[in-house]
Amino acid sequence: MDRANLPEDFLFGCATASYQVEGAAFEDGRTRCIWDDFALIPGAIKDSNDGRVAADQYHRYKEDVALMEELGFQSYRFSISWSRVLPNAGSTPNKKGIEYYKNLCNELHAKGMKACATLYHWDLPSELQAIGGWANRETALKFREYSALMFKELDGYVDMWITINEPFCVAWLGYKIGCHAPGHKNLEESLAAVHHINLAHGIAMEEYRKGGYKAPIGITFNPQTPRPATRKEMDKKAALYKRAVDTEVFMGPVFGYGYPEFCTETLGWKFPIEDGDMEIISQPIDFMGINYYNEYPVYYNEKDPELVSTAPHWERTTNIGWPVDEKGLYRQLLWLKDYTRGIPLYITENGSCEDDQLTNDGRVHDRERIVYIDKHLHACADAIKEGVNLKGYFVWSFIDNYEWAEGYTKRFGIVYCDYGTLKRYPKDSAYYLRDVIAGYGDF
Ligand code: IFM
C-alpha cells in the first residue's frame, strides 16, 4: 500500500483489549470479571483456557510500547479493565489499577504515540453479572460511576476515548446466542441488554460532556452489512433485515434514528425504554469506530424468525473461517458515510487470523495477513476518494492474544506471542505495516 494514497494526517495504530492481553488477572487488586467466570464453564472455551496470563502486557507494557515505536505506530488502542480500577464493582478506586493505565499512557506519550482508550471491551465485573449484568438497568447506571472516574483520572493521559466496543457482541453473543460471557440464550434478556448497553454509552457521553473534557470521544461498532445473495427482491430485503437486527439496533439509537421498525414492528421486539433514554443515547459523538473483518451474502429464509440465512461464499477464508472481502469494507464505508452524516470515522479494528508458524530463524512469514491488510487499506483509500471521512486505521491486533471462546487457538497478532516463554516475535506483517507507515509499503 502506497501511503501517498491516504491523507497526510491519516492515523496508523494497533489495537488490543484488556482481558485479551493484560494477564495479571488477580494482581494489584484486580477482582473477577465475567470472562474469568465463563472460562470455568466446561466446554465454553475451545482450549479450556483463560486470560490469567494472556500476553502478560500488564508486566511487559514498556517492551510492547517500545516495539510499537520501532514499527512506527502513531497510536495504541487498549481497553481499561473495570474490575482493575474499581474492584468488586465498588466505589473505592484502586490506585494501583489506575496507576497502570497512567503509566501506559505516559509510556506511549514518551514514545510520541497517542493513547486511545476503550472503557468497555467485555470484561464486566462479576458482581454486576450477579445482579443480571447488562440485562439489568442497574449495570448501565453503574457505568456512570466508572466512566466518570476514568474521565477524571485519565484526563490529559488519554487522547481518544471509546465508550463501548462492539455492542453487538455484548448483547447478541452474550445474551441471545450464548457463545460469549455470560453465555445466556434468552431473547428477553438480550433485548434488555441491547437497550442497556446503548444507554451505558449515552450515560458515559453525558458525564464526559458535563466534565467539559476536550479529547475526542466516540463508540466502536462492528457493523454487519451483508449483501443480498441474488437480485431477488426478498434477498435484497433479507440483507436489510439482517443489517437492522445486527447493526441498526445499536447504531440507530446512537444516531437519533431510534430502534429500527423491522425490530419493533415486524419482529415485535420490546426494549425496556424509560423516559429520556433515547435523548441520552443520541447525544452527538465526535467520531465513530468501525471494526470490520468480513461480509456475508444472505438469502431470505421464511422459517427463520429473523428471515435471513447466510449463503455460501466464494472467497478465501482466514484461519477462523471468515471470508476475506475488502470490497465489503468499501461498500460499508459508503453506507456509513450517509448514515453517520459524515462524522469522522476510524477503522478501530481490522486484521486477519492465520495459522502462524514460528520458524527456526525466529520469524513468522504471514504473507496471507499482509495481503489481507493491504487489500483492506486499498479499500480505505478508495472510500476516502469517494468522500468518506475516514481518519485512521488500527490493525487488530498488536500481539496474539486470548481470542475469547477460541482461547489461544487463534492468532490475530502482527507480533507473535510464544505463550510458553511470553517472548515477542514481530511477524512479517509487522514489518510490512512499518513500511506502509514510513511510506515504503507499496508492492
Ligand atoms: O478479538 C476480537 C476483539 O476482541 C473484538 N473484535 C473482533 C476480534 C477478533 O475476533
Side-chain angles (χ1 to χ4, degrees), residues 16-17 20 77 121-122 165-166 169 180 222 291 293 320 322 349 396-397 401-404 412:
T16 64
Q20 293 181 275
R77 174 179 177 234
H121 197 128
W122 312 352
N165 181 71
E166 300 180 8
C169 297
H180 274 195
N222 53 332
N291 293 354
Y293 291 91
I320 199 165
W322 299 347
E349 284 181 28
W396 184 271
S397 173
N401 56 58
Y402 185 71
E403 179 52 27
W404 308 112
F412 275 89

Side-chain angles (χ1 to χ4, degrees), residues 3-145:
R3 207 188 177 307
N5 290 327
L6 295 162
E8 189 52 41
D9 61 350
F10 194 78
L11 186 74
F12 272 98
C14 52
T16 64
S18 46
Y19 194 77
Q20 293 181 275
V21 296
E22 279 179 6
F26 305 112
E27 263 176 65
D28 290 345
R30 166 163 143 1
T31 53
R32 297 192 76 80
C33 78
I34 54 173
W35 278 91
D36 296 315
D37 302 334
F38 189 61
L40 293 177
I41 300 173
I45 312 294
K46 205 183 236 171
D47 59 3
S48 307
N49 244 313
D50 58 28
R52 247 176 297 180
V53 177
D56 196 35
Q57 191 168 80
Y58 189 77
H59 298 116
R60 294 163 198 255
Y61 72 91
K62 285 192 180 166
E63 178 187 347
D64 284 351
V65 172
L67 184 48
M68 288 172 209
E69 189 207 13
E70 271 177 47
L71 295 172
F73 283 109
Q74 297 159 309
S75 181
Y76 178 43
R77 174 179 177 234
F78 58 92
S79 78
I80 298 170
S81 153
W82 189 339
S83 50
R84 200 181 283 292
V85 295
L86 276 175
N88 303 116
S91 302
T92 312
N94 176 23
K95 277 206 181 93
K96 282 193 173 163
I98 297 171
E99 219 39 54
Y100 169 69
Y101 295 107
K102 286 188 176 168
N103 290 341
L104 173 61
C105 294
N106 281 339
E107 196 68 17
L108 287 165
H109 289 165
K111 307 276 184 202
M113 274 177 273
K114 287 190 174 171
C116 172
T118 304
L119 284 171
Y120 186 72
H121 197 128
W122 312 352
D123 39 1
L124 190 74
S126 301
E127 291 74 13
L128 294 179
Q129 196 55 55
I131 60 159
W134 291 107
N136 185 344
R137 190 177 172 91
E138 189 58 28
T139 296
L141 304 183
K142 275 289 204 181
F143 198 69
R144 184 184 295 284
E145 206 178 324

Side-chain angles (χ1 to χ4, degrees), residues 3 7 51 128 161 176 198 201 212 252 255 294 296 360 362 371 375 392:
R3 207 188 177 307
L128 294 179
W161 286 100
K176 188 163 73 151
N198 289 342
H201 156 78
F255 286 95
N294 50 46
Y296 282 92
N360 288 339
V371 172
K375 284 179 170 181

Side-chain angles (χ1 to χ4, degrees), residues 147-201:
S147 56
L149 176 72
M150 288 301 97
F151 296 148
K152 188 166 129 280
E153 287 286 347
L154 299 182
D155 185 32
Y157 290 88
V158 169
D159 305 289
M160 217 174 144
W161 286 100
I162 293 170
T163 54
I164 312 274
N165 181 71
E166 300 180 8
F168 165 100
C169 297
V170 177
W172 288 156
L173 302 190
Y175 292 82
K176 188 163 73 151
I177 298 168
C179 59
H180 274 195
H184 296 187
K185 294 180 188 168
N186 179 310
L187 180 65
E188 202 182 319
E189 269 192 47
S190 69
L191 296 182
V194 166
H195 185 63
H196 296 143
I197 194 85
N198 289 342
L199 183 63
H201 156 78

Side-chain angles (χ1 to χ4, degrees), residues 113-352:
M113 274 177 273
K114 287 190 174 171
C116 172
T118 304
L119 284 171
Y120 186 72
H121 197 128
W122 312 352
D123 39 1
L124 190 74
S126 301
E127 291 74 13
L128 294 179
Q129 196 55 55
I131 60 159
W134 291 107
N136 185 344
R137 190 177 172 91
E138 189 58 28
T139 296
L141 304 183
K142 275 289 204 181
F143 198 69
R144 184 184 295 284
E145 206 178 324
Y146 164 54
S147 56
L149 176 72
M150 288 301 97
F151 296 148
K152 188 166 129 280
E153 287 286 347
L154 299 182
D155 185 32
Y157 290 88
V158 169
D159 305 289
M160 217 174 144
W161 286 100
I162 293 170
T163 54
I164 312 274
N165 181 71
E166 300 180 8
F168 165 100
C169 297
V170 177
W172 288 156
L173 302 190
Y175 292 82
K176 188 163 73 151
I177 298 168
C179 59
H180 274 195
H184 296 187
K185 294 180 188 168
N186 179 310
L187 180 65
E188 202 182 319
E189 269 192 47
S190 69
L191 296 182
V194 166
H195 185 63
H196 296 143
I197 194 85
N198 289 342
L199 183 63
H201 156 78
I203 284 175
M205 288 302 304
E206 213 170 47
E207 284 301 314
Y208 197 75
R209 298 301 187 214
K210 222 166 56 189
Y213 301 108
K214 292 287 175 285
I217 182 166
I219 178 169
T220 278
F221 297 102
N222 53 332
Q224 307 295 308
T225 47
R227 59 180 186 266
T230 76
R231 295 174 74 87
K232 284 187 205 149
E233 276 317 303
M234 286 318 288
D235 290 339
K236 286 185 189 163
K237 279 198 178 155
L240 297 182
Y241 293 160
K242 187 91 178 119
R243 192 178 75 192
V245 168
D246 287 355
T247 302
E248 288 164 74
V249 86
F250 304 103
M251 285 181 55
V254 168
F255 286 95
Y257 305 113
Y259 286 109
E261 248 180 54
F262 176 69
C263 299
T264 54
E265 303 299 318
T266 314
L267 299 177
W269 286 351
K270 304 251 178 297
F271 298 97
I273 306 171
E274 295 191 6
D275 278 356
D277 283 1
M278 299 313 273
E279 289 73 27
I280 293 176
I281 300 170
S282 60
Q283 292 159 88
I285 51 178
D286 300 323
F287 68 89
M288 189 187 107
I290 300 158
N291 293 354
Y292 178 89
Y293 291 91
N294 50 46
E295 180 199 80
Y296 282 92
V298 292
Y299 287 129
Y300 176 70
N301 175 354
E302 266 173 58
K303 289 186 205 123
D304 189 292
E306 286 156 32
L307 309 171
V308 175
S309 59
T310 303
H313 59 83
W314 54 271
E315 299 96 338
R316 176 184 90 85
T317 49
T318 63
N319 197 37
I320 199 165
W322 299 347
V324 179
D325 194 341
E326 72 284 359
K327 290 283 187 317
L329 173 59
Y330 173 78
R331 288 186 275 271
Q332 181 177 105
L333 286 170
L334 289 193
W335 174 67
L336 286 171
K337 173 182 155 204
D338 293 336
Y339 195 88
T340 64
R341 304 183 196 93
I343 66 164
L345 304 175
Y346 287 86
I347 304 292
T348 40
E349 284 181 28
N350 175 247
S352 177

